[in-house]
Amino acid sequence: MVPAKPTVKEKIAYALGDAAAGGITWKVMSIAFPLFFTNIFGLTVVDTATLMLVARLFDVVTDPIMGAIADRTQSRWGTYRPWLIFGAIPFGLIFALLLFTPDFSMAGKRVWAYTLYLLMMAIYTAVNVPYGSLLGVMTDDDDEKNKFSSFRMVGAYAMGFVTLLSFPYLQKLVGGSEAHQYAVLGAVLGGIAAAMTLACGLMTRERLKPVRAEKFSAKPFVDLVKNKPWVYLTLTGICSNFFNGFRYAVAGYLFTYCLGGDVTFNRLIINYTVFMTFGEVTCMIFGGLSPAFTKWAGSKKKAFSLASLICLVTSVGFFFIPMDASYIWLMIAVVVLTSVGIGFYSPLLWSMYADVADYATQKNGTSSTGLIFSSGTMAQKFGSAISGALLTLLLGAVGFSSGSDADGQAVVTIAEGCLPAVQKMIWSIFSIIPACIAALMMLLVKIYPIKK
């Protein structure tokens, strides 16, 4: 018998889903993949940009379709949970294969990377869209939805903290070439992500029955485009992922080309993953405080705007820090402050999607929960696609290039005299560009019409 009220155990189980997707797979894909593909796997800057752009824009189409399919699923496990239960193993396996560098020619590497990346985006969609939609059917209590969203964000950031902090130490433990290290860690992390996803599917419950539109039609998609709250919130979601996408994707280049590599203090290794870990633990803490912050602010809109303002101010501040490893602790302090804002607004975004889903059901008479929540992952992928692609193209425009030699080994070069321009571009991508995006987020939330 399904408990009438969600338990803490179930909230923890729900958090495991985003710990796997957001805390492991997406975190590694966001922070490590651009540097991995150019400096380790051996793709060119153009190949890397095209790969990330095409594969993720492909999902802009597949995410809404997956949402519509999920809404119409009927099984003994419910509407959305079976996608997590049966998608868990393929999810972890494909992720592991994507971090493996085969001993292929340049053409073979392109085929491998594009095929695996497209498969990864497809399975991520098949698992994560139903996962997000679960929030709409586990409870109809708005406070409970906020709590589930907070647990979700804490789970994602806590696992992101563990993943990023342990990454350089696990690399050292594995040993061998960097390609070997990434392959082994891909297998380990993929296995953990599969187990967490499966546990989430088995341990959560669907208490509400969606009002189904049994036949497929274009009407839900037309209704979606006409849904003004959805339009503004989706644009906000895309911007929030631009903000994070640029910062995470460029962090590896920032350490390699601006700070001269890893920074060490006694036995503490601060590389680009550990650097962003300080932000992860901050997001975890303040994600948990998001419901209290929202009550203090008086509404979700005001809380989101204040959180975005924190991100804007601190991002501008980072730009003026000297580009020197001796200022690493000041850099970390600013990253922590920026992450306070991110921690506050991240749970709010998913709670606001639940509000949009309720609004759509009242207006249209049928549930489109899966379709609406699919736009959350669509925004995530679209934001990451554009930021990842623009990152490599912007670096290429100022003299950075990469590829593979005749033996299939990765080769990176910076045109003569272009290092200062590359460094300045990297610094701006981590600070000024995100600041502009935070300002746009504030504008979009201001005109978002639902006043909860």
Side-chain angles (χ1 to χ4, degrees):
M1 184 176 179
V2 178
K5 187 176 181 180
T7 63
V8 172
K9 181 180 178 181
E10 186 178 358
K11 293 183 177 76
I12 293 172
Y14 185 66
L16 290 177
D18 212 18
I24 297 179
T25 58
W26 199 261
K27 197 64 65 180
V28 173
M29 291 167 70
S30 297
I31 194 169
F33 272 23
L35 187 69
F36 169 74
F37 282 126
T38 58
N39 289 38
I40 298 167
F41 192 88
L43 292 183
T44 66
V45 168
V46 173
D47 281 336
T48 301
T50 305
L51 167 66
M52 301 184 75
L53 184 61
V54 171
R56 293 185 184 177
L57 290 184
F58 169 73
D59 281 328
V60 174
V61 177
T62 59
D63 278 12
I65 294 173
M66 183 62 224
I69 294 172
D71 282 336
R72 290 161 177 78
T73 300
Q74 299 184 60
S75 75
R76 58 180 290 192
W77 298 278
T79 299
Y80 304 113
R81 291 170 57 235
W83 294 96
L84 280 75
I85 294 169
F86 296 102
I89 293 176
F91 182 56
L93 178 61
I94 295 171
F95 175 76
L97 291 174
L98 191 51
L99 281 170
F100 176 74
T101 302
D103 187 17
F104 292 164
S105 65
M106 191 65 185
K109 284 185 175 181
R110 286 194 190 101
V111 172
W112 177 274
Y114 274 80
T115 301
L116 268 297
Y117 208 97
L118 283 169
L119 285 174
M120 185 65 209
M121 291 297 96
I123 191 62
Y124 190 95
T125 296
V127 169
N128 207 247
V129 168
Y131 168 74
S133 304
L134 264 177
L135 183 60
V137 295
M138 288 190 294
T139 179
D140 58 359
D141 186 297
D142 199 50
D143 286 338
E144 287 292 329
K145 287 178 182 177
N146 285 343
K147 290 176 183 177
F148 268 112
S149 292
S150 291
F151 268 82
R152 171 184 182 166
M153 290 297 105
V154 170
Y157 286 124
M159 196 63 215
F161 168 77
V162 172
T163 301
L164 299 184
L165 180 64
S166 63
F167 208 87
Y169 300 97
L170 292 174
Q171 284 183 288
K172 189 175 181 180
L173 180 65
V174 172
S177 67
E178 285 189 290
H180 174 69
Q181 293 167 7
Y182 275 83
V184 172
L185 292 182
V188 172
L189 294 175
I192 295 172
M196 286 182 167
T197 303
L198 181 61
C200 177
L202 293 174
M203 297 171 65
T204 50
R205 296 291 180 266
E206 298 185 20
R207 292 171 178 78
L208 308 177
K209 296 289 184 182
V211 182
R212 301 179 188 277
E214 299 295 348
K215 295 182 179 180
F216 284 95
S217 71
K219 187 177 183 302
F221 298 94
V222 174
D223 290 340
L224 195 64
V225 175
K226 293 180 179 178
N227 187 329
K228 287 186 178 180
W230 174 82
V231 172
Y232 291 126
L233 189 60
T234 297
L235 290 173
T236 304
I238 290 172
C239 286
S240 72
N241 284 286
F242 275 147
F243 185 88
N244 287 329
F246 277 116
R247 294 170 68 252
Y248 276 90
V250 81
Y253 296 95
L254 187 147
F255 267 76
T256 302
Y257 300 105
C258 297
L259 303 182
D262 298 351
V263 181
T264 57
F265 286 92
N266 296 322
R267 295 185 178 181
L268 176 62
I269 302 172
I270 303 179
N271 75 338
Y272 69 102
T273 65
V274 175
F275 180 67
M276 299 306 290
T277 296
F278 290 95
E280 290 297 305
V281 71
T282 306
C283 287
M284 177 182 67
I285 294 169
F286 286 87
L289 295 174
S290 182
F293 177 71
T294 303
K295 286 184 178 181
W296 173 82
S299 71
K300 295 177 185 178
K301 285 184 61 171
K302 289 181 180 179
F304 203 107
S305 294
L306 288 172
S308 300
L309 179 61
I310 293 171
C311 293
L312 189 159
V313 172
T314 55
S315 294
V316 171
F318 189 95
F319 180 78
F320 294 100
I321 299 174
M323 198 182 298
D324 190 298
S326 63
Y327 289 87
I328 187 66
W329 291 110
L330 178 58
M331 296 175 201
I332 289 171
V334 176
V335 166
V336 166
L337 291 174
T338 303
S339 299
V340 171
I342 298 170
F344 279 146
Y345 76 59
S346 294
L348 282 172
L349 193 64
W350 293 104
S351 182
M352 291 161 79
Y353 272 118
D355 295 337
V356 171
D358 292 342
Y359 169 86
T361 300
Q362 293 172 6
K363 182 178 180 181
N364 303 319
T366 58
S367 173
S368 55
T369 301
L371 183 59
I372 287 171
F373 272 90
S374 72
S375 60
T377 57
M378 179 189 74
Q380 183 182 45
K381 293 171 183 176
F382 188 82
S384 296
I386 301 298
S387 57
L390 279 178
L391 162 65
T392 52
L393 290 177
L394 288 171
L395 292 181
V398 293
F400 179 93
S401 63
S402 63
S404 295
D405 60 20
D407 297 323
Q409 300 300 309
V411 178
V412 175
T413 58
I414 295 177
E416 185 176 353
C418 290
L419 180 59
V422 170
Q423 291 174 324
K424 188 173 183 180
M425 179 62 74
I426 291 169
W427 213 252
S428 298
I429 291 171
F430 194 86
S431 56
I432 295 300
I433 292 178
C436 294
I437 294 167
L440 182 56
M441 286 165 57
M442 293 177 65
L443 175 62
L444 288 168
V445 171
K446 182 178 177 62
I447 57 179
Y448 169 74
I450 296 179
K451 299 180 179 180
K452 280 192 175 183

